[in-house]
Amino acid sequence: MKNFKSLLPFLLMLFVWAGCDTDDLRNDVDELKNRVESLEAQVSAINDNMNVLKVLTDGKQTIQSCVYDEASNSYKLVLSDNTELTLTQGKQGTVNYPQITISQNGTWVINGEDSGKEAVGDNAPTPKFAIDANGYWTVDFGNGATQVLGADGQPVLATTSGSVTVTDEFFKDVDVVNGELVVTLQNDEVYSLPIVEALVCDIQTENVNEFKNGVLTVGYGEEVSLNVKVKGDNAFVSAPAGWTAVLGEPDAQTNIAVLTLKAPAESAASTTLGRAATADNTKDLTVQVNKGVAWAVDKIQVEATKVISSYYAEWQAGNNIIVGQVGDEEGSHTVVINNTDYPNATLVESDMDITADGVFFIKEGVKVTFKKGGLKNSILIGDNPDKRVSVTLLDWLPIKGEGKGFIAKNIDFVWSPAQDRNCIAYSSNTDGSAVNVGNFIWDNCSIEIPEGKNFFNINQDLVTVSNIVLVNSSFKMPTNKVGQDWAATRFFNVTKAFTYSSIYIKNNVFYSPVVGNAINGNLVFASGFDLSGNITVSNNTFVNFIPASQSLVKGLIKATVTLQNNLFWTDETANRNATFINACESEAGTYIISDNIQYNNTTAAIKFNYFGGTLPTGQANTLLSVEETNPFDGGEYDRTNGIFVPNTTYAEYGAKFE
């Protein structure tokens, strides 16, 4: 719904007259609503048709069911892999469809303009169309939306003034001829698919834990089984080199055959171990079924990977463990732990009080407390890659002296006794000497921060923390005083001059578990001090974390600040004005702010502006638009445990934990 709520001002202009009475206004509003709903339907139809066109050009499927609906002039299709699609021919109306064809070179052509993007092939993108806030068509080939241009080189409006009747027929002709669905594009190109009712090939991956993001991951040398629904004369399976695949006979009643798949033995392909690091050996597993001369094909991607059960064992074997990684990404913010750079490590297998620097791999179920007078070279890693371990903090974490810093991975931090601390970590050299550490990294960790308290205070001069990283982590901020609400929480609170290379905050959840309780939140606060390194804040979920009085990032911006794909969700009952960046009158910064979304679950007006304070030269103080639909409807919303998973429509926004 993101594209259409922003169309309301554009469409409302069509219905504004001076001196209209109440009935006229009501009629205009009804017409406006109908117009918006019509546009929504048209965008949905064009994207559905693009999915059909992609199947037609691939030619790897057949149709097992084709039902025509005269009222909508559309066809309901069920393909041989059980995918359901809708093909809509369209009818006379007032919506301008872009004209989509395919060039002789096999590329997408939009309104006669060759996009250069492949239309045929396994890796060919399927264009996704939308309507922007000004009512113009946009198209996205997977690298961001761009405006659709007409023959005159100008953007194409999605709707006419209403007085002109145009055709919004997507295809020139659609018909069923001699057992085939035949589609003719506007440039007279013809594509067809056979309709074969008893031909089905469907590799079933639902509820298969190893299948994620379109890839089936199998441990080296391990074996998995999948169900495949097959109907037809003969079935064949092909697997990548080194894999073995055997397809059993289908059950006579269910048509389900069992596919047994075994991955190749481990090679030297991958010795780098992060959150989800694997070798780049993704290839196709293909099942084909024929009936006469017709064929149905289904395929998935398979990937052999190293199954990691112990980070300590990997360290012993000399393999790399990446910390600070989101998915398969790498960058200057990630750190490698191995027995070359860190030759000494301790496996914590029984209850232990950690009071010294070192590398500690912590087994599940043991009781570990952590208290240090000064952190210089402290690394805590939960040994099981798939589960966090609990570590009890007995005091603040003072960052002190010179060293590689503090790194935590796979840790649930808890306070004992329950603390009302001013911060979790702070820079502290009592003799006034420099603090110079390489890292402060939290990767796949969690902690509860008392509301109104800070996470990390930098409150002395001569402090350098080169690499500050928060990734894949959860930060809970409850109300801990009766009636307390709207207390300020700063994550990195800078009150002295401070040096760093980058601050990287990605794929985290910041939330209040209390309904209606909002946190006056800030991630980086350095009012009056230079922020001379790059700051990245992306793909985070903020639940009632509203940067009102302090902005999300505040300081003298001297580098690039990136805010992208963040999700802000609120049920605050009071009106609030929030801002992303306060540059403190600095003119030296660069700002990348895009694809952030906001949803308000109450009638309160919660407004997010891009900038607070003095607007940097050349920047626009954009107001973040508000979603009309709840991103968590159809996803997962667990306020108590801090689990927030957007539905598929909003899957690219906010945090995503695997």
Side-chain angles (χ1 to χ4, degrees), residues 101-109 114 119-120 187 189 191:
T101 57
I102 299 171
S103 73
Q104 291 183 347
N105 296 324
T107 55
W108 292 112
V109 178
D114 194 328
V120 181
N187 65 346
E189 286 189 4
Y191 295 88

Side-chain angles (χ1 to χ4, degrees), residues 387-404:
K387 294 183 180 179
R388 292 175 180 166
V389 298
S390 179
V391 172
T392 299
L393 297 176
L394 301 180
D395 207 341
W396 300 333
L397 305 178
I399 309 299
K400 189 174 182 178
E402 183 172 349
K404 294 183 178 180

Side-chain angles (χ1 to χ4, degrees), residues 239-261:
W243 295 70
T244 58
V246 178
L247 184 66
E249 290 294 322
D251 181 85
Q253 301 298 320
T254 64
N255 299 112
I256 297 296
V258 176
L259 172 61
T260 303
L261 181 68

Side-chain angles (χ1 to χ4, degrees), residues 315 318 338-343:
W315 175 86
N338 56 37
N339 61 16
T340 299
D341 296 331
Y342 298 87

Side-chain angles (χ1 to χ4, degrees), residues 3 6-11 131-136:
N3 297 303
S6 57
L7 286 171
L8 289 174
F10 158 74
L11 292 172
I131 301 174
D132 67 17
N134 297 313
Y136 292 97

